[in-house]
Amino acid sequence: GMTRIGMKLRARALRHGMTSHERMLWAALRKRRMAGFQFYRQRPIHGYIVDFYCPAAGLVIELDGHQHSSRSAMAYDAVRTQVLNASGLCVLRFPNHRIESDIAAVIHEIRKTLSPFLERGMPEGQGDSHPSRPPFQGREEKSHCS
């Protein structure tokens, strides 16, 4: 695989060359806009560079362009997701066209995945998203979302 320095440089290059879809989603995630959660973009993690990463919720968000629809790319994505899941991370994948056509639904899905962490009073007591909802059942700290 790539050296750690190599990965850091590649991640930096990817941050400078974000696609329009990444920029659209980043606008909703940056500066703790998503329910107060800190997200990072193009983050090296377990040998992969993921599009967006939220350490507090163990959540990875990946955007898929057309190149992901080929069979080899789908196999690679599946392995990548398994590796990340095996280390206790939740992976949400969205095709680019969903970012374009319905970013509100994408944001809703991300919020839904973050909601169990909000109810624990994480982060900094910002648990006011849905005060009327019953407590979330049956999932431990860092499980998979799928």
Side-chain angles (χ1 to χ4, degrees):
M2 248 194 273
T3 64
R4 282 187 58 177
I5 302 286
M7 285 206 92
K8 284 185 108 144
L9 290 173
R10 181 159 155 67
R12 185 180 306 155
L14 286 167
R15 284 195 294 273
H16 286 298
M18 289 177 90
T19 65
S20 58
H21 301 98
E22 286 169 342
R23 279 197 296 270
M24 276 177 82
L25 187 55
W26 181 234
L29 298 177
R30 64 190 301 218
K31 296 183 178 160
R32 296 184 179 268
R33 283 179 189 156
M34 183 67 72
F37 285 89
Q38 178 78 55
F39 276 86
Y40 299 92
R41 61 203 170 117
Q42 306 300 350
R43 196 59 182 258
I45 183 162
H46 300 299
Y48 297 104
I49 296 174
V50 301
D51 291 335
F52 301 103
Y53 175 50
C54 174
L59 174 62
V60 167
I61 301 172
E62 299 268 51
L63 299 191
D64 295 342
H66 297 301
Q67 77 277 12
H68 288 267
S69 49
S70 77
R71 194 163 288 177
S72 60
M74 280 167 77
Y76 174 78
D77 286 344
V79 168
R80 184 181 164 116
T81 298
Q82 277 173 356
V83 169
L84 294 169
N85 282 164
S87 55
L89 298 171
C90 163
V91 181
L92 288 181
R93 310 192 77 91
F94 298 103
N96 281 341
H97 65 82
R98 272 199 75 194
I99 304 289
E100 221 165 304
S101 63
D102 200 359
I103 195 160
V106 167
I107 286 168
H108 177 73
E109 212 167 304
I110 295 167
R111 278 183 172 277
K112 212 167 67 183
T113 307
L114 292 171
S115 64
F117 297 92
L118 277 172
E119 270 140 18
R120 282 195 200 95
M122 250 178 98
E124 294 103 278
Q126 288 169 326
D128 55 7
S129 58
H130 298 283
S132 58
R133 211 177 42 218
F136 193 83
Q137 295 290 308
R139 192 163 81 180
E140 68 214 8
E141 190 66 30
K142 284 202 177 173
S143 65
H144 319 319
C145 40
S146 44

